[in-house]
Amino acid sequence: MEKQSKQQPRQDDLIKNELKSIINAIKTHIEFERGFGIDTVTISKSINNLPLPVYHKKTLPLESPAINSSSDHISKNEKVRSRKLLEELRNEILSCHKCPLGKTRTNLVFGVGNPTADLMFVGEAPGRDEDLQGEPFVGRAGQLLTKIIEAIGLNRKDVYIANILKCRPPGNRNPLPEEIVLCLPYLIKQIEIIKPKVLCALGTFAAQTLLDTKAPVGTLRGKFHAYKGIPFMVTFHPAYLLRNPNDKAKVWEDMKKVRDLLNELLQKDKNYST
Ligand code: URA
């Protein structure tokens, strides 16, 4: 009897802890879904009577203070100048044959977005869809990236999106070290022209290349590093998230840090100019 009464509280504690961790997991999941554009969950009955969740898209980001719209502090002249410089760089790369990818690609995938963006994302290399359309992140991973951007209160057109490689590696293989070395100067020029306030690396190749490290993305993510003085967040690649949806919550944590820092920097600019 005595033995049982001693064991009883321990079992209760175990159940309580289990319940707590389930509740915390549900909370994180809901916060993440809200952040990524899903507002409510309704339970409906499927034909075999199993409850199925139905997700509804929301119209406004919840608990996501929108970033004070980016470009107010940037003059029209600056925008025109930046756009022109990017166009010139694009034309230069169009005839690039430093590596064989220039021959095998369908289209150059230079970059897309606001030429004076406060936030710039850097991915790995174009995939099939990007190669066909000449625009980065337009496939499934790209659709998820668009959701991520919207979750922090921005649109694709507010930010700038580019890759380490501008041409598709055949069969979506990983970029080769020599391809990265040859193509990297183009990305560096893009960053110099755009002058983002915050950079965000998507995945291993962008993170390791710009930080010149071999450390795994799992240890680099979640905190700000610096690239030539620019705050530099590392997070998981959206294609990885499609295969590992449980890590979406980590990306949401990273993106909230990006959103908060951007808001802080923009507020500082505003205070300075008034
Ligand atoms: N993955 C990338 O890293 N870049 C793209 O443009 C598309 C998929």
Side-chain angles (χ1 to χ4, degrees):
M1 278 302 276
E2 210 192 329
K3 216 174 179 185
Q4 250 194 357
S5 64
K6 265 188 188 165
Q7 274 181 350
Q8 196 61 33
R10 263 193 252 138
Q11 269 201 347
D12 285 355
D13 283 349
L14 279 179
I15 293 169
K16 264 188 208 159
N17 286 341
E18 184 82 354
L19 276 174
K20 258 190 209 162
S21 68
I22 291 172
I23 290 167
N24 281 338
I26 293 171
K27 273 187 185 163
T28 311
H29 182 76
I30 289 174
E31 191 189 354
F32 158 74
E33 293 290 1
R34 286 170 136 193
F36 278 55
I38 289 159
D39 188 13
T40 49
V41 179
T42 351
I43 307 296
S44 69
K45 302 260 172 176
S46 74
I47 28 169
N48 56 7
N49 256 1
L50 282 173
L52 281 180
V54 176
Y55 294 102
H56 298 285
K57 280 217 79 170
K58 68 183 168 58
T59 45
L60 281 172
L62 292 177
E63 78 82 33
S64 181
I67 290 165
N68 296 318
S69 187
S70 25
S71 352
D72 302 354
H73 58 293
I74 292 166
S75 75
K76 212 173 167 192
N77 280 351
E78 229 174 304
K79 260 204 164 157
V80 170
R81 184 178 162 276
S82 209
R83 186 169 285 123
K84 186 169 164 275
L85 289 173
L86 286 173
E87 199 47 43
E88 284 168 10
L89 180 60
R90 186 178 185 280
N91 289 337
E92 182 189 328
I93 310 177
L94 266 177
S95 54
C96 172
H97 288 290
K98 287 195 224 163
C99 81
L101 298 185
K103 279 216 168 70
T104 54
R105 72 165 191 233
T106 313
N107 283 299
L108 170 74
V109 181
F110 176 70
V112 71
N114 179 350
T116 53
D118 292 322
L119 174 59
M120 177 167 174
F121 289 93
V122 181
E124 180 181 314
R128 187 175 159 273
D129 294 317
E130 291 75 21
D131 178 58
L132 291 174
Q133 296 186 43
E135 182 173 327
F137 284 98
V138 290
R140 278 185 69 223
Q143 284 157 22
L144 182 53
L145 177 61
T146 303
K147 274 191 196 167
I148 291 171
I149 293 166
E150 288 170 354
I152 55 166
L154 290 171
N155 283 309
R156 249 177 101 96
K157 65 174 176 37
D158 296 322
V159 304
Y160 198 88
I161 308 170
N163 283 311
I164 297 281
L165 296 193
K166 309 299 182 215
C167 299
R168 181 195 185 204
N172 289 355
R173 65 157 167 77
N174 285 341
L176 302 175
E178 56 270 30
E179 290 164 354
I180 294 177
V181 168
L182 292 169
C183 214
L184 183 60
Y186 297 137
L187 175 70
I188 293 174
K189 277 193 194 160
Q190 283 176 303
I191 297 172
E192 283 168 2
I193 294 170
I194 295 161
K195 298 187 189 74
K197 288 189 182 304
V198 178
L199 273 164
C200 183
L202 302 166
T204 305
F205 283 91
Q208 293 186 342
T209 303
L210 290 174
L211 291 174
D212 194 18
T213 176
K214 288 267 169 270
V217 69
T219 64
L220 295 171
R221 64 150 285 274
K223 50 186 174 275
F224 284 106
H225 307 261
Y227 172 79
K228 296 187 179 175
I230 304 170
F232 183 90
M233 174 58 77
V234 172
T235 197
F236 289 125
H237 193 287
Y240 164 88
L241 283 188
L242 291 173
R243 298 188 303 271
N244 300 275
N246 286 344
D247 277 340
K248 281 182 181 174
K250 289 182 184 156
V251 172
W252 178 226
E253 289 307 314
D254 302 344
M255 295 317 298
K256 281 193 288 188
K257 289 180 188 164
V258 167
R259 177 194 68 195
D260 293 346
L261 179 64
L262 266 177
N263 268 334
E264 196 185 309
L265 295 175
L266 289 166
Q267 191 56 48
K268 268 191 194 152
D269 269 8
K270 227 179 185 174
N271 293 344
Y272 188 69
S273 64
T274 51

